[in-house]
Amino acid sequence: MKGRIFTEQERQILEDIIVHRRTEFGANFINEEIPDTKIERLLLAALLGPSVGFSQPWEFVIIRDPSIKAKIKASFERENEKAKEIFKDRPLYNHFQLEGITTTPINIAVFYKPSLTPVMGQTSMEKVGPYSVCLAIQNLWLMARAENIGLGWVSILDEKEVKTILNAPPENELIAYLCLGYVTEFTERPLLEIVNWEKRKLKEAVIYYDGYQ
């Protein structure tokens, strides 16, 4: 067998990183800068993600400017007021600090950039383009956890507003807005599981064989 062969110890390390990956909420971030060398490693991990037809349809906007962060947070706050109305029967929602936009040193907006020419493997299922960007984000997320850097995905945003703030090309699609920073702790279980917002689904409930039976 040619190519890099991994040891059982290395496999276990990867499994540990996956198991202990967390979605961080705003209150857990601390005010500490992240070295540029670490951000570069995270971005390299993202750029090595798998993509349909080797299309690499991603673009990343690194945001450090406090004035830009403030505009993004204003968009979040407007959208979150709508979410509060949706979850008005679940008072716990109002206790979550769902984002760390202005408290983290680095924000990263991740975009899907459609190809101008046909992409191998994307001719029948157009959505695999944006899915490829999600795979890059997962790579970045796992590398962040390996670097002991917390990451939160802010999805309560108006995409058009964010694109305008960042001067994004019209054809680009916002896939994720990420907040990265060091944290006070990495919890043993996801926060939303700890507070019983949702329960982890059992394997038997989500895996089928040879179709839905």
Side-chain angles (χ1 to χ4, degrees), residues 38-74:
K38 294 197 173 189
I39 295 299
E40 287 299 315
R41 283 202 287 269
L42 269 56
L43 292 170
L44 176 60
L47 297 175
L48 291 173
S51 63
V52 61
F54 200 49
S55 56
Q56 305 154 82
W58 40 64
E59 292 186 336
F60 302 82
V61 180
I62 314 301
I63 302 154
R64 292 187 171 90
D65 187 329
S67 65
I68 296 176
K69 292 179 183 178
K71 292 176 183 178
I72 300 292
K73 181 161 183 174

Side-chain angles (χ1 to χ4, degrees), residues 148 155 165 201:
N148 297 308
S155 56
I165 293 167
K201 293 180 180 179

Side-chain angles (χ1 to χ4, degrees), residues 76-92:
F76 164 82
E77 290 174 342
R78 285 188 290 272
E79 293 301 307
N80 197 38
E81 287 303 311
K82 302 174 188 177
K84 287 178 181 179
E85 182 63 22
I86 294 170
F87 292 110
K88 61 185 178 182
D89 295 331
R90 302 187 72 177
L92 182 59

Side-chain angles (χ1 to χ4, degrees), residues 27-172:
N28 200 29
F29 288 110
I30 61 176
N31 184 19
E32 183 178 341
E33 291 296 323
I34 303 173
D36 288 344
T37 53
K38 294 197 173 189
I39 295 299
E40 287 299 315
R41 283 202 287 269
L42 269 56
L43 292 170
L44 176 60
L47 297 175
L48 291 173
S51 63
V52 61
F54 200 49
S55 56
Q56 305 154 82
W58 40 64
E59 292 186 336
F60 302 82
V61 180
I62 314 301
I63 302 154
R64 292 187 171 90
D65 187 329
S67 65
I68 296 176
K69 292 179 183 178
K71 292 176 183 178
I72 300 292
K73 181 161 183 174
S75 175
F76 164 82
E77 290 174 342
R78 285 188 290 272
E79 293 301 307
N80 197 38
E81 287 303 311
K82 302 174 188 177
K84 287 178 181 179
E85 182 63 22
I86 294 170
F87 292 110
K88 61 185 178 182
D89 295 331
R90 302 187 72 177
L92 182 59
Y93 184 89
N94 293 325
H95 294 280
F96 294 130
Q97 184 181 333
L98 294 171
E99 49 73 39
I101 296 168
T102 58
T103 56
T104 51
I106 300 288
N107 294 180
I108 302 179
V110 189
F111 288 89
Y112 165 63
K113 188 174 187 66
S115 174
L116 297 176
T117 58
V119 175
M120 180 190 298
Q122 198 174 343
T123 51
S124 297
M125 297 176 64
E126 188 68 26
K127 293 184 292 185
V128 293
Y131 294 165
S132 296
V133 181
C134 293
L135 294 173
I137 293 166
Q138 178 76 344
N139 267 20
L140 188 153
W141 209 324
L142 293 176
M143 184 59 76
R145 186 60 186 89
E147 292 280 3
N148 297 308
I149 295 170
L151 187 153
W153 183 330
V154 185
S155 56
I156 307 171
L157 292 169
D158 183 297
E159 179 181 359
K160 290 182 179 179
E161 276 191 85
V162 174
K163 288 179 63 172
T164 298
I165 293 167
L166 300 179
N167 298 310
E171 68 274 15
N172 280 21

